[in-house]
Amino acid sequence: MKLIVCVCDYSRRRHFYNRPLPDRIQVLSSGEGNNQAKIKTVRRLQLELDAVIGNYVLREVLQQQVLHDLLLHDLGVQLLWLAFRPPERLAIDYKWADMLAHTICRHIELEQLMCWLSTLGGGYSALGDQFEGCAQAAGQISLQQLTIGLRLGDPFVQARCKLYYSISLIQRGQLRRAKFLIRAQYRFACGEHKKHDRRLVHMCLGIWQRLCYEYEQRQRRRLIGKSK
């Protein structure tokens, strides 16, 4: 038998824990064709507690078997009724607030750094068609953005950074590496995340068209070279 715990919140709504199946009606006796039924009663212990303290009590009762056995077997309590009232003074978790503020500030700084690198990488990528050094610099910036994306933990940011790097590979003539990289990101975009970021799908398709164009130009140069 388990100890039933009922929590009554501020709105007088009841939340039950360890409640058994609703089999509470027993037939006690029968006479002249009429059955007499009675609802089984349970011994209840009712406590009105501060909501903060009450949550600690609730956790201890549900997790500590010793306290559970003490209430159920030694004291004979079958239903523990916890009525929560608003705390007189709200407790502020300053340690958690500091950790959260530090995480948010760090996230904002990384986002700003990502924006600056995107602007700088776009400039180098625009010049990468004419100058190989600019294409290589754009690729290094994309790798730095990927490092930031890994720290942010956002898979969509990581996928976009890999696509930026594939553009640098195309500009440097490494078409095979770019092909596998674009295909991997397209499979990711068309998977379970397709509804979340359609822009990633369009990016893959656009860069793939650029890759196909470079393959056509390479094949044309080979044919011209053979004809000579």
Side-chain angles (χ1 to χ4, degrees):
M1 183 177 180
K2 292 184 178 180
L3 176 66
I4 305 173
V5 181
C6 177
V7 176
C8 185
D9 59 17
Y10 302 159
S11 302
R12 300 303 178 185
R13 291 177 299 183
R14 302 172 184 177
H15 309 273
F16 288 90
Y17 300 86
N18 299 331
R19 183 167 57 176
L21 295 176
D23 185 15
R24 301 173 54 192
I25 300 179
Q26 291 182 339
V27 177
L28 299 182
S29 61
S30 61
E32 298 184 5
N34 294 325
N35 292 335
Q36 185 179 5
K38 184 179 179 181
I39 298 178
K40 186 188 298 183
T41 59
V42 295
R43 187 174 182 181
R44 181 176 69 174
L45 174 61
Q46 182 172 355
L47 299 175
E48 184 177 353
L49 299 171
D50 179 281
V52 177
I53 300 175
N55 276 283
Y56 286 110
V57 173
L58 176 63
R59 185 177 62 181
E60 293 297 322
V61 171
L62 296 178
Q63 296 181 357
Q64 296 297 332
Q65 188 65 32
V66 176
L67 181 57
H68 178 278
D69 295 339
L70 175 65
L71 293 172
L72 183 60
H73 300 296
D74 296 348
L75 301 180
V77 178
Q78 297 173 290
L79 174 61
L80 178 60
W81 189 284
L82 301 178
F84 287 177
R85 65 174 183 269
E88 297 179 359
R89 183 178 180 182
L90 296 177
I92 301 177
D93 193 344
Y94 290 100
K95 184 176 181 180
W96 171 252
D98 291 339
M99 294 173 59
L100 185 61
H102 176 73
T103 303
I104 293 176
C105 292
R106 189 173 183 181
H107 188 87
I108 293 174
E109 291 176 356
L110 291 176
E111 288 285 354
Q112 291 179 346
L113 182 58
M114 181 72 76
C115 294
W116 281 106
L117 289 176
S118 296
T119 304
L120 185 62
Y124 276 104
S125 181
L127 297 174
D129 294 331
Q130 289 79 25
F131 305 100
E132 184 177 355
C134 293
Q136 187 172 1
Q140 294 297 325
I141 293 174
S142 299
L143 292 179
Q144 294 179 8
Q145 288 180 294
L146 180 59
T147 302
I148 298 175
L150 292 173
R151 295 175 63 181
L152 291 174
D154 191 341
F156 300 108
V157 174
Q158 299 170 21
R160 288 195 291 270
C161 294
K162 293 176 182 178
L163 289 175
Y164 297 152
Y165 185 69
S166 68
I167 297 176
S168 174
L169 294 176
I170 294 174
Q171 292 174 336
R172 287 181 285 168
Q174 302 179 25
L175 304 185
R176 184 178 179 84
R177 292 180 59 189
K179 177 178 65 175
F180 290 119
L181 191 57
I182 298 170
R183 282 179 176 176
Q185 305 317 307
Y186 184 75
R187 285 194 297 266
F188 168 77
C190 292
E192 59 182 5
H193 306 287
K194 185 176 181 180
K195 296 181 180 179
H196 298 282
D197 195 347
R198 287 288 301 173
R199 182 176 61 176
L200 185 60
V201 177
H202 296 311
M203 287 179 62
C204 294
L205 296 176
I207 299 174
W208 184 262
Q209 291 296 326
R210 170 68 185 275
L211 178 65
C212 294
Y213 173 78
E214 292 296 333
Y215 268 118
E216 292 175 359
Q217 293 298 316
R218 176 180 290 184
Q219 185 66 20
R220 182 176 299 178
R221 287 193 295 268
R222 288 179 180 177
L223 293 176
I224 294 176
K226 290 181 180 180
S227 62
K228 293 179 180 181

